[in-house]
Amino acid sequence: MTKPTDDQDDQLVRLADGTTAHIRPLRADDREQVRALYEASSEWDRYLRFFSPTSVDGAMRLTPPPEDDDEHCLLAAEVAGRIVGLGQYDVTEDDEVAEVAFMVDAAHQGRGVATLLLEALAPRAVVRGIRRFRALFLRENQHMPDVFAHAGFDIRWSCEDLGVAAAEFDLAPVPAWVDEHERRERLAQ
């Protein structure tokens, strides 16, 4: 297993409003906080995340254990010691592509949590030989296009079956990614 570098394990970041957040790997002892995240989420938010009506117990069953290996990564975003977002990737049948997904507490949506989780997932994936991320999302999910648009990657958009859209992008930083990253940091400061 290729281990991420130490500076990727835990990161202090600034949300769009200047609030400090802690991005770190999810741990086994976070289970109750993950449950609280799903309990605080609306049925609609869980539907958008899991593509079907999902109870809190169902969401817990669908959330993978906190594996951090060559094929999976699950990160938590904490604000004031409370998990307010999850970001994960799972390698697809093509070893160079991983599917990425997010869950963010409704009270913290629009503050850049998912974008910062995406930025933390990307270098971990690159170290492990993953070259592209792909995200499938319901077209009703108006937050997901914003996450990718604000990240600054060169996105290829497509429509899948049954109202599902897809975003796919290479993980190599492009000038737009560097510009967006620097702009977000200036605004947060």
Side-chain angles (χ1 to χ4, degrees):
M1 175 173 97
T2 308
K3 181 82 170 115
T5 60
D6 288 341
D7 63 334
Q8 291 174 326
D9 281 343
D10 288 87
Q11 300 172 353
L12 289 179
V13 296
R14 296 241 182 238
L15 301 180
D17 63 0
T19 301
T20 300
H22 180 207
I23 306 283
R24 62 168 177 80
L26 193 71
R27 299 181 299 252
D29 63 351
D30 288 327
R31 190 151 182 80
E32 288 308 310
Q33 282 207 57
V34 172
R35 175 174 284 286
L37 172 66
Y38 289 133
E39 287 172 345
S41 67
S42 68
E43 289 180 21
W44 178 246
D45 285 339
R46 289 192 307 271
Y47 171 78
L48 292 176
R49 168 61 185 91
F50 296 106
F51 288 40
S52 66
T54 306
S55 67
V56 171
D57 287 336
M60 291 298 291
R61 283 191 299 275
L62 291 169
T63 301
E67 298 176 280
D68 191 9
D69 57 29
D70 288 342
E71 295 187 9
H72 313 279
C73 185
L74 187 56
L75 298 180
E78 286 182 332
V79 172
R82 188 175 140 252
I83 292 178
V84 299
L86 298 174
Q88 74 181 74
Y89 74 70
D90 299 287
V91 174
T92 65
E93 59 279 347
D94 177 347
D95 290 343
E96 293 186 343
V97 179
E99 188 170 331
V100 65
F102 306 95
M103 181 69 181
V104 177
D105 183 313
H108 294 274
Q109 290 176 6
R111 297 174 69 197
V113 173
T115 301
L116 291 167
L117 284 163
L118 175 61
E119 284 186 356
L121 287 167
R124 289 169 173 277
V126 168
V127 164
R128 294 167 178 167
I130 298 166
R131 299 171 50 99
R132 283 187 314 282
F133 275 165
R134 177 175 172 81
L136 298 175
F137 57 95
L138 295 172
R139 285 190 262 179
E140 297 99 329
N141 188 341
Q142 297 176 3
H143 297 291
M144 285 298 279
D146 289 342
V147 169
F148 300 119
H150 291 225
F153 289 102
D154 187 15
I155 310 295
R156 291 176 297 283
W157 303 97
S158 63
C159 291
E160 306 291 319
D161 293 333
L162 304 171
V164 176
E168 189 164 333
F169 50 96
D170 293 330
L171 294 177
V174 294
W177 179 87
V178 174
D179 292 345
E180 278 299 309
H181 179 77
E182 290 173 355
R183 184 187 69 77
R184 279 191 307 278
E185 285 198 355
R186 279 192 309 274
L187 285 173
Q189 291 176 3

